[in-house]
Amino acid sequence: MAADLQGPVTGADGLRRCPWGAGPHADYRTYHDEEWGRPVRGDDALFERLTLEAFQSGLSWLTILRRREGFRTAFHGFRIAEVARFTDEDETRLLADPGIIRNRAKVAATLANARVLAGWAPNELTELIWSHAPAPRPAPEHLGDVPATTRESFDLAKALKGRGVRFVGPTTAYALMQACGLVDDHLLGCHARRAADA
């Protein structure tokens, strides 16, 4: 079956999942079942997701999941106010930290983003992101029905960039929307979609 026509896959536990969450990696299954597509609010929580999506660009999401605790430690739990105070010495420390992805441009963008966001009002990031949530749409039946970008993700990326947030394009913005529950892209018949809709 062509990958874009693949529907939910039944796992050894009898549960049907989106194909990417049904493979041999427990990290993917846990993330798929318990987190992806569930609503996330709160500026620090969304800063974490925005940062991880940016670091994922060009890499496997599994790589990010396996380093997530390392990222949380390195970036002080993604508390915006704390990361905004990071110094040049902190940046040097991050670029030597094997627990994260040591990409200079992405590290610099994360620190710059924290400094920008530290100047926003409480819940301003949450409100901006969630203001771009689209109207509910029919559940996708196959992987090929899931878009990589949408009009709303272009608008969200443009709004964030316009406010000084770096390293976010429409594809990253849409991945953020999927991960944080602005859209529900669990496939029709996926058990996590039923749980999310319950």
Side-chain angles (χ1 to χ4, degrees):
M1 177 183 291
D4 62 346
L5 294 179
Q6 192 171 4
V9 174
T10 303
D13 58 4
L15 295 176
R16 290 173 60 75
R17 294 179 174 86
C18 303
W20 63 267
H25 301 294
D27 294 327
Y28 266 151
R29 285 196 303 277
T30 299
Y31 179 68
H32 170 275
D33 290 0
E34 300 177 7
E35 188 170 351
W36 192 76
R38 306 294 177 93
V40 175
R41 287 183 169 82
D43 293 346
D44 291 345
L46 287 166
F47 174 57
E48 175 183 348
R49 303 324 194 274
L50 184 64
T51 300
L52 294 180
E53 293 294 349
F55 270 95
Q56 185 273 331
S57 180
L59 300 170
S60 161
W61 184 243
L62 188 61
T63 300
I64 301 301
L65 282 179
R66 289 182 171 170
R67 287 175 170 78
R68 193 171 186 181
E69 290 309 314
F71 273 104
R72 286 174 169 165
T73 299
F75 287 101
H76 293 193
F78 290 98
R79 291 182 290 276
I80 293 169
E82 293 189 28
V83 179
R85 292 192 293 269
F86 277 18
T87 63
D88 290 344
E89 289 74 19
D90 288 304
E91 184 168 356
T92 299
R93 168 183 59 81
L94 291 166
L95 291 171
D97 188 338
I100 67 169
I101 306 300
R102 293 172 285 180
N103 179 293
R104 186 175 298 277
K106 293 175 182 179
V107 167
T110 300
L111 302 189
N113 288 345
R115 291 173 190 131
V116 166
L117 296 172
W120 292 19
N123 294 315
E124 193 170 352
L125 177 62
T126 301
E127 290 170 4
L128 186 150
I129 289 174
W130 277 90
S131 72
H132 290 83
R137 61 175 188 250
E141 295 184 33
H142 306 100
L143 290 181
D145 298 331
V146 178
T149 62
T150 62
R151 177 181 57 80
E152 292 87 0
S153 76
F154 273 90
D155 291 346
L156 175 56
K158 182 178 179 180
L160 288 167
K161 286 180 183 177
R163 298 286 303 278
V165 177
R166 295 164 48 183
F167 231 104
V168 57
T171 302
T172 297
Y174 193 67
L176 176 74
M177 294 169 75
Q178 292 174 303
C180 297
L182 280 75
V183 296
D184 183 357
D185 276 342
H186 285 287
L187 301 183
L188 185 67
C190 171
H191 84 94
R193 183 175 189 94
R194 291 197 304 272
D197 289 343

